[in-house]
Amino acid sequence: MGIRSRPWDLPGKLPRRSNRRLWLLPSALLSLILLLSFYSCGSVFRRANNLGRNCLPDSGQISGGPKMRIAMVSLSGESRIGGDGRRSFEGLMETVGENKREYAEKGGYDFIDASDLIDISRPPSWSKILAVRSQLQNYDWVFWNDADTLVTNSSISLERILQAVVGNKDFQSSPDLILTEDITGVNAGIFFVRRSQWSLDFLNTWWNLTAFVRLGSSKSGDNDALKYMIRSLPSDEFESHVRISPMQCLFNSYPWFPTWKTALRLITSPKTTWQGAYSNGDFMVHLAGLDEKRKWAVKILKEINQS
Ligand SMILES: *[C@@H]1O[C@H](CO)[C@@H](O)[C@H](O)[C@H]1NC(C)=O
Ligand SMILES: *[C@@H]1O[C@H](CO)[C@@H](O)[C@H](O)[C@H]1NC(C)=O
């Protein structure tokens, strides 16, 4: 009886339903616009430097004095321990090695592939500490770069980057560790270490933080250990020994492309995303957290060689 006894409901309901359908159109349009503008963010980020972003502050003339001895150190190990296949570093050195060798030659630096120093009891990424430590006595600065990085603007010298962060200080009074920061904190993928006792102690303590070693995960733990060390430094020690570049894109840019995760990060930390997104003209790209690293590296190499 229920339905038939209330036929007068029907006329009232019909227009309401079509009202609702009318509303669908603008909200679908709005979603489409949001989606499209989100997708176009990628190309906006690629032009960030043309749009006024300044990663490399003009610090005037490179200070005189003897040329600093700088080593560019890297290694790449197949993930015998930890790491899943898609995120593997396999074959990366073959793809990026030449790019770095050429850059080093042009700038008068030594490029050192320290892959033979890998300690196989930990995920390979930890061995960067051993690699840097092994060269520290031979150079003024060691410039560490993970295997999943590329020099994308070879007309920017390491001296210019150091000067942009350190200023015109002489070698003895320079800070010892120069880092960049992303949304999650300091990044262990690319950094500078100065030859000093402090640096040596720092590297030894970092290597000893074995509680952070992660096995069988896509995270190796060395970056978390570094974050922990930086957090636990007394503030006066931090101030005299560590510098974090105000702009991540000074030497550690990440390619930006739309996913749920990057969308969320863009909304929660727009400034940090902007400061770290890879743009044409940036010094170095870091394929941090990306799968198919080799494909990415090949694609970016093609782009920079064409321009
Ligand atoms: C690191 O650990 C080794 C072995 O346990 C120890 O000999 C060394 O003193 C430690 N170094 C630092 C800086 O903690
Ligand atoms: C490389 O960087 C310099 C200095 O920031 C800039 O003037 C130049 O346009 C960049 N090169 C390319 C190919 O973008």
Side-chain angles (χ1 to χ4, degrees):
M1 219 186 140
I3 292 163
R4 275 216 202 146
S5 69
R6 296 161 60 191
W8 53 87
D9 271 358
L10 279 172
K13 269 190 180 164
L14 274 174
R16 225 185 283 155
R17 222 178 257 170
S18 54
N19 263 348
R20 217 179 283 162
R21 221 170 273 164
L22 268 177
W23 268 109
L24 272 176
L25 192 65
S27 56
L29 259 176
L30 189 69
S31 317
L32 191 68
I33 290 167
L34 279 176
L35 198 73
L36 284 177
S37 49
F38 180 53
Y39 268 82
S40 64
C41 277
S43 64
V44 172
F45 284 134
R46 275 306 290 267
R47 289 183 295 121
N49 295 335
N50 293 335
L51 297 170
R53 190 179 72 169
N54 189 10
C55 304
L56 181 66
D58 189 11
S59 48
Q61 281 288 315
I62 301 281
S63 50
K67 183 166 167 57
M68 289 188 290
R69 287 171 303 151
I70 306 178
M72 237 177 132
V73 184
S74 191
L75 61 74
S76 103
E78 282 117 67
S79 262
R80 273 162 285 198
I81 298 174
D84 58 57
R86 280 177 308 142
R87 208 162 272 187
S88 124
F89 284 68
E90 217 174 308
L92 257 178
M93 193 63 92
E94 285 160 41
T95 314
V96 305
E98 187 171 300
N99 163 275
K100 293 182 187 177
R101 271 193 197 95
E102 270 173 15
Y103 173 74
E105 200 167 312
K106 182 176 172 183
Y109 321 121
D110 287 344
F111 176 74
I112 293 156
D113 176 356
S115 300
D116 56 335
L117 286 181
I118 290 179
D119 178 326
I120 58 161
S121 69
R122 303 186 187 191
S125 181
W126 277 90
S127 293
K128 70 180 69 174
I129 304 170
L130 304 179
V132 171
R133 195 175 64 185
S134 75
Q135 297 302 329
L136 205 57
Q137 299 308 314
N138 307 331
Y139 294 93
D140 296 322
W141 289 94
V142 171
F143 177 47
W144 169 261
N145 24 118
D146 275 358
D148 60 341
T149 63
L150 280 170
V151 175
T152 42
N153 185 342
S154 62
S155 59
I156 299 175
S157 69
L158 296 181
E159 287 86 349
R160 224 175 130 191
I161 291 170
L162 284 169
Q163 185 165 333
V165 188
V166 175
N168 268 323
K169 289 210 177 90
D170 62 47
F171 180 73
Q172 292 304 330
S173 57
S174 289
D176 298 287
L177 177 63
I178 297 173
L179 298 163
T180 56
E181 211 166 30
D182 62 25
I183 286 160
T184 70
V186 291
N187 179 257
I190 312 182
F191 55 87
F192 290 84
V193 185
R194 187 179 76 98
R195 171 168 44 83
S196 71
Q197 188 58 47
W198 185 91
S199 299
L200 204 55
D201 293 343
F202 187 90
L203 293 169
N204 286 334
T205 311
W206 185 7
W207 177 254
N208 273 11
L209 289 176
T210 49
F212 285 89
V213 175
R214 293 278 166 280
L215 298 174
S217 141
S218 68
K219 279 194 132 193
S220 49
D222 55 296
N223 204 139
D224 287 331
L226 178 67
K227 284 176 184 162
Y228 168 80
M229 281 194 70
I230 295 296
R231 269 201 312 273
S232 13
L233 280 182
S235 62
D236 55 338
E237 190 176 351
F238 176 87
E239 262 155 45
S240 45
H241 297 282
V242 184
R243 283 292 177 286
I244 296 175
S245 166
M247 295 294 279
Q248 189 194 329
C249 57
L250 180 63
F251 60 88
N252 190 5
S253 307
Y254 298 169
W256 193 92
F257 60 97
T259 65
W260 287 114
K261 198 168 155 189
T262 59
L264 194 66
R265 287 182 164 182
L266 180 57
I267 292 162
T268 55
S269 327
K271 193 174 164 214
T272 318
T273 306
W274 175 252
Q275 292 177 338
Y278 170 59
S279 159
N280 300 328
D282 279 355
F283 169 57
M284 217 164 181
V285 73
H286 180 191
L287 311 173
L290 296 180
D291 297 333
E292 313 272 13
K293 288 179 188 293
R294 198 174 166 164
K295 267 191 200 155
W296 271 97
V298 168
K299 180 168 163 269
I300 292 176
L301 277 172
K302 215 182 254 171
E303 283 170 11
I304 55 174
N305 290 337
Q306 272 164 4
S307 68

